[in-house]
Amino acid sequence: MDDDMEGGNLGPYQDRPRTFPSMKSKAYAPWIFRVLMRINSRILLVALLVCFGAIFYIGASTSPILVFVFSVCIISFFVSIYLTKWVLAKDEGPPEMSEISDAIRDGAEGFFRTQYGTISKMALLLGLAILGIYLFRKITPQQELSGLGRVTYACITVAAFLFGALCSGVAGYVGMWVSVRANVRVSSAARRSAREALQIAVRAGGFSALVVVGMAVMGVAILYAILYVWFGVDSTGTMKATDLPLLLVGYGFGASFVALFAQLGGGIFTKAADVGADLVGKVEQGIPEDDPRNPAVIADLVGDNVGDCAARGADLFESIAAEIISAMILGGTMAQRCKIEDPSGFILFPLVVHSFDLVISSVGIFSIRNKRDSGVIGTIEDPMKTLEKGYSVTIFLAVLTFGLSTRWLLYTEQAPSAWLNFALCGLVGIVTAYAFVWISKYYTDYKYEPVRTLALASSTGHGTNIIAGVSLGLESTALPVLVISLAIVSAFWLGRTSGLTDEVGNPTGGLFGTAVATMGMLSTAAYVLTMDMFGPIADNAGGIVEMSQQPESVREITDVLDAVGNTTKATTKGFAIGSAALASFLLFSAYMDEVAAFAQQPFKQVDIAIPEVFVGGLLGSMLIFLFSAWACAAVGRTAQEVVNEVRRQFIERPGIMDYKEKPDYGRCVSIVASASLKEMIKPGALAIISPTVAGVLFRILGYYTGHPLLGAKVVASMLMFATVSGILMALFLNTAGGAWDNAKKYIETGALGGKGSDTHKAAVTGDTVGDPFKDTAGPSLHVLIKMLATITLVMAPIFL
């Protein structure tokens, strides 16, 4: 990996002050893309048509609903191709911009290859472990009656796990691929127009978002359709459609596995480089952010792509996949209990919702159009308002399409008005999503009081900045928790009063109502991911402008876009935490249903008054704090190496400050790349091993003490406490980190002394403290919460 990232040979720095090294020796693309590019275009077109034909045939053999889903997904892929061509047709600006962009791209792709190579090896080993476990695990009586043996079940689960991991990896690569090519085009556009730069960044993010969401939906739909046809579902003596979603759990686990390690590795990379660059460059040397004299600046910009783009693509892919699968399980379970004649609508409803998400988010993306402006900040519309207009369009369309979807798929003669209740559940979810976005913006945007108060605290020193940031982060947990609580209770009771009842007349729609609310919250996921991807692309664009020494007016435009990007990233993280809370609640309910199915006895309550169960809860909460500590410590250790390297270069090469010597950018990239890959293993392994070990140990203890379900109860308690603790911790870390960052940005606009002042130095310290909070530990936590829920669902039978 060092050879890949430290290549490049340049002439004397004073002769070529704007030339930057290539971070690897040759162009890189994943092997699957290299193979496809070597195939004749006509042959490739025929192959694609055959594949599409096979997909539609399988879909038609399963349900007309899947034909609709496949059609929308394929159309969205063509839309994303159009967006790609539109973005790539823009110019890259002068040569010095292209050289910087090439260095960023090469470093990002080199790290991606090494990181995902490591993740793929771990995924294969875990797949073998799952195969071994499933060959000896129990199967339910219903599965035995349908002819589904242990070997078949094991092979399906492992195949689904690897397929989910592969799709998640591709989603991550897509997120990074577009960002490393769009950044320089945004920089170039900023020389002409702020609105054009905004439009390019949004459309580049939109490409990635549509591909990620489309792949998540297509992956689940294809897997469901193949299993449906293979088992001849609903034929005499075969598996029922309501039992089929349980076979998809491996897909969600694979997506969670890759997303966790991608978020950990990418987060450690980006924040270690950022901290090292800021501490030495800004604080010690007094040079601007992204100054070409800083040896860590390329590593910092590479980190934006591998941490904020690749990792976030895998993260949202996992969120959507987990939510779809858990909602399908709950929909199938409810349809079975209510004896609904055709349960396909309740099972496939999540796929249709996210298909409409692709349509309405595309409309929102295209609603942001380029208009003539002078390129001067004071005369252009606020970029945040422009993005919010697109989001408002998407929200409005989401309400309409959600109501249409519920009437189409959730209408049943047994309860003619149930669909209306579920439509209201979806509305609850949409309102919850909007509330989360607004709350996150309020606490992280420097237009509002919290961040300005934090900036003011910087004027009295570093300590008061830290105190104010911590208190702001703690306070920011209150409103989101109230919103989540209200959403869960409202959606549950709307579902419960829908009129759907089981055989003995008990209402059964409560949990499914919560699932529908979760779908409503994620019904605009593609547009929210677009806003998130906008952030790192704008950040990279600002770095390229600074390093290529463009006029101050250009940097002002990219600074505004970067500040808006910080806010959109923070709001997206808040959105992700809210959806993770609801999705984890669904997965927890699915886990209890699966335990009941395997144990052949009711499993509806977990009594924390039982000492062992209470201990399980403590272990779950401890897991969150230990995981966060290890993630932040990993950033700290890696940042120390970067700081020492940057200091060494400034001491040994004094001509760097006068542009007479060139920094060794590749060395810093190599340091953070090697360290992040090593550091991501320990917290990731903790997340995977902990629930399995706890469940097995307490199962053994329960066997000898006469409590046969003790292992399952302890794991359930562990999952509940971890979810609650994880949500609060993630809210605190993400909001505090985002607020510290934008407080620094606010001061850099000229407020409270501006750049270089003592207030600014205190704000840089706060931003440095917040970096591992908001981009490493915080984002990893909401992935951890969902992965814990998924792994307990996969491993449930071994706890009995």
Side-chain angles (χ1 to χ4, degrees):
M1 180 178 64
D2 290 353
D3 293 338
D4 286 339
M5 295 192 175
E6 294 191 66
N9 184 21
L10 296 178
Y13 186 70
Q14 62 269 30
D15 296 336
R16 304 175 67 184
R18 296 184 181 183
T19 303
F20 299 86
S22 175
M23 294 296 162
K24 62 184 181 60
S25 56
K26 59 183 180 178
Y28 167 69
W31 65 268
I32 189 169
F33 291 100
R34 295 199 300 270
V35 170
L36 290 174
M37 286 187 289
R38 292 173 184 169
I39 300 175
N40 181 277
S41 58
R42 293 182 180 179
I43 296 175
L44 186 60
L45 179 61
V46 172
L48 286 174
L49 290 175
V50 171
C51 289
F52 288 155
I55 289 172
F56 278 108
Y57 174 77
I58 295 173
S61 302
T62 305
S63 170
I65 299 171
L66 283 184
V67 175
F68 169 80
V69 171
F70 289 144
S71 300
V72 173
C73 289
I74 290 172
I75 292 172
S76 75
F77 287 144
F78 284 113
V79 172
S80 65
I81 291 172
Y82 167 77
L83 291 174
T84 308
K85 290 186 175 181
W86 188 89
V87 171
L88 296 182
K90 299 297 180 179
D91 70 286
E92 297 185 4
E96 58 266 26
M97 281 187 172
S98 299
E99 289 165 358
I100 300 166
S101 176
D102 289 345
I104 296 169
R105 183 189 67 221
D106 293 345
E109 291 184 344
F111 176 72
F112 183 91
R113 174 175 59 180
T114 308
Q115 181 192 30
Y116 275 75
T118 303
I119 293 173
S120 62
K121 293 172 184 175
M122 293 190 294
L124 288 173
L125 290 175
L126 184 56
L128 291 175
I130 294 173
L131 180 64
I133 292 171
Y134 268 59
L135 288 175
F136 297 98
R137 62 171 271 177
K138 300 177 181 178
I139 58 176
T140 65
Q142 292 86 354
Q143 291 168 348
E144 288 182 357
L145 291 174
S146 64
L148 183 63
R150 291 182 180 178
V151 175
T152 305
Y153 202 178
C155 291
I156 289 173
T157 303
V158 172
F161 169 79
L162 295 177
F163 185 47
L166 174 65
C167 291
S168 182
V170 173
Y173 179 75
V174 165
M176 182 207 66
W177 187 90
V178 67
S179 67
V180 297
R181 286 162 177 81
N183 51 14
V184 68
R185 291 167 170 83
V186 175
S187 301
S188 178
R191 298 178 304 150
R192 300 183 296 272
S193 163
R195 189 63 180 249
E196 183 184 354
L198 172 67
Q199 187 183 26
I200 293 172
V202 168
R203 291 198 172 188
F207 158 75
S208 178
L210 293 178
V211 172
V212 168
V213 176
M215 281 186 58
V217 175
M218 280 283 282
V220 175
I222 289 173
L223 201 58
Y224 179 89
I226 289 173
L227 294 175
Y228 190 100
V229 173
W230 184 12
F231 287 112
V233 171
D234 287 337
S235 301
T236 305
T238 61
M239 181 181 293
K240 295 181 179 179
T242 51
D243 297 325
L244 195 57
L246 280 173
L247 300 180
L248 308 178
V249 172
Y251 183 87
F253 184 30
S256 298
F257 176 83
V258 172
L260 180 65
F261 282 98
Q263 191 69 69
L264 272 173
I268 293 169
F269 187 111
T270 183
K271 289 303 109 182
D274 195 4
V275 169
D278 283 355
L279 285 180
V280 184
K282 286 185 177 181
V283 178
E284 295 182 9
Q285 298 295 328
I287 59 178
E289 185 175 1
D290 301 324
D291 192 286
R293 293 169 290 179
N294 193 327
V297 68
I298 291 289
D300 183 11
L301 296 174
V302 168
D304 291 333
N305 295 285
V306 299
D308 289 334
C309 292
R312 196 77 73 248
D315 177 6
L316 194 70
F317 177 92
E318 179 269 340
S319 294
I320 294 172
E323 180 264 330
I324 289 175
I325 292 170
S326 58
M328 291 174 77
I329 292 172
L330 292 175
T333 301
M334 188 192 70
Q336 190 173 25
R337 289 175 179 171
C338 297
K339 303 295 183 184
I340 294 175
E341 185 175 345
D342 182 11
S344 60
F346 289 86
I347 297 172
L348 300 178
F349 180 68
L351 296 174
V352 172
V353 169
H354 287 293
S355 297
F356 277 122
D357 174 18
L358 293 169
V359 176
I360 62 177
S361 295
S362 297
V363 175
I365 292 166
F366 283 104
S367 70
I368 298 176
R369 309 182 69 85
N370 187 22
K371 296 179 181 178
R372 289 185 174 272
D373 59 58
S374 64
V376 179
I377 294 303
T379 63
I380 64 171
E381 185 180 9
D382 180 4
M384 193 67 201
K385 290 183 178 178
T386 305
L387 293 174
E388 288 175 344
K389 285 181 181 178
Y391 187 49
S392 298
V393 170
T394 309
I395 287 281
F396 174 73
L397 294 175
V399 173
L400 297 180
T401 56
F402 209 95
L404 175 64
S405 301
T406 51
R407 180 61 179 84
W408 174 24
L409 298 174
L410 302 185
Y411 177 82
T412 174
E413 294 292 343
Q414 293 175 232
S417 62
W419 72 271
L420 183 57
N421 282 49
F422 291 128
L424 292 175
C425 291
L427 183 61
V428 167
I430 293 171
V431 172
T432 301
Y434 186 82
F436 259 86
V437 169
W438 185 88
I439 291 169
S440 299
K441 185 177 71 170
Y442 174 73
Y443 279 107
T444 57
D445 194 332
Y446 62 60
K447 295 175 185 175
Y448 299 100
E449 189 65 24
V451 173
R452 296 198 175 200
T453 302
L454 176 56
L456 183 62
S458 305
S459 63
T460 52
H462 302 255
T464 50
N465 170 278
I466 301 302
I467 294 170
V470 170
S471 64
L472 184 151
L474 293 171
E475 178 189 321
S476 69
T477 61
L479 285 178
V481 168
L482 292 175
V483 170
I484 291 174
S485 304
L486 184 62
I488 290 175
V489 173
S490 300
F492 184 87
W493 284 104
L494 281 169
R496 190 175 178 84
T497 57
S498 64
L500 291 170
T501 58
D502 59 16
E503 293 177 326
V504 295
N506 295 321
T508 59
L511 285 177
F512 187 68
T514 308
V516 174
T518 308
M519 289 179 250
M521 189 168 186
L522 286 170
S523 63
T524 57
Y527 189 86
V528 172
L529 181 59
T530 298
M531 292 196 296
D532 183 81
M533 291 290 184
F534 165 86
I537 292 172
D539 193 355
N540 261 214
I544 293 172
V545 166
E546 180 71 37
M547 292 189 72
S548 60
Q549 301 170 15
Q550 297 298 310
E552 186 65 25
S553 60
V554 180
R555 180 70 206 197
E556 287 177 1
I557 290 176
T558 55
D559 279 347
V560 170
L561 295 179
D562 186 17
V564 171
N566 283 334
T567 302
T568 58
K569 286 190 291 184
T571 56
T572 304
K573 289 167 188 170
F575 173 87
I577 293 168
S579 65
L582 293 176
S584 296
F585 179 71
L586 301 183
L587 288 166
F588 176 74
S589 302
Y591 165 76
M592 298 188 75
D593 285 342
E594 186 170 9
V595 169
F598 280 102
Q600 293 297 294
Q601 58 179 291
F603 188 67
K604 297 182 178 179
Q605 297 177 342
V606 179
D607 187 358
I608 61 172
I610 300 173
E612 295 87 349
V613 176
F614 182 72
V615 168
L618 286 178
L619 292 175
S621 297
M622 176 272 293
L623 174 62
I624 296 300
F625 284 83
L626 185 59
F627 178 89
S628 302
W630 284 359
C632 291
V635 174
R637 284 190 295 269
T638 308
Q640 288 174 6
E641 296 184 46
V642 178
V643 167
N644 290 333
E645 173 60 24
V646 175
R647 284 174 177 169
R648 181 192 67 79
Q649 291 196 34
F650 278 127
I651 293 172
E652 295 181 3
R653 302 181 183 187
I656 287 177
M657 292 300 292
D658 298 323
Y659 296 97
K660 294 178 180 178
E661 292 184 82
K662 62 177 181 179
D664 185 356
Y665 303 107
R667 180 61 187 155
C668 289
V669 174
S670 179
I671 287 172
V672 291
S674 301
S676 60
L677 292 175
K678 179 179 67 176
E679 296 282 2
M680 75 179 185
I681 302 297
K682 188 168 73 170
L686 175 72
I688 295 171
I689 295 172
S690 297
T692 305
V693 170
V696 171
L697 288 178
F698 280 99
R699 173 192 174 180
I700 295 171
L701 179 63
Y703 175 80
Y704 286 106
T705 57
H707 297 85
L709 292 181
L710 184 62
K713 292 178 180 178
V714 167
V715 170
S717 176
M718 187 177 186
L719 181 58
M720 283 192 297
F721 279 68
T723 300
V724 172
S725 302
I727 290 168
L728 293 172
M729 179 68 82
L731 286 169
F732 162 68
L733 295 175
N734 283 330
T735 309
W740 267 315
D741 194 350
N742 269 352
K744 178 198 69 175
K745 293 288 184 187
Y746 175 59
I747 293 170
E748 289 175 348
T749 62
L752 302 173
K755 293 182 180 180
S757 64
D758 289 339
T759 302
H760 181 238
K761 291 180 179 179
V764 170
T765 300
D767 180 34
T768 303
V769 173
D771 276 340
F773 284 18
K774 68 183 175 67
D775 286 323
T776 307
S780 298
L781 274 178
H782 71 256
V783 180
L784 170 68
I785 292 168
K786 288 174 288 185
M787 200 187 80
L788 289 174
T790 308
I791 196 172
T792 54
L793 191 57
V794 171
M795 301 296 183
I798 70 171
F799 304 148
L800 304 176

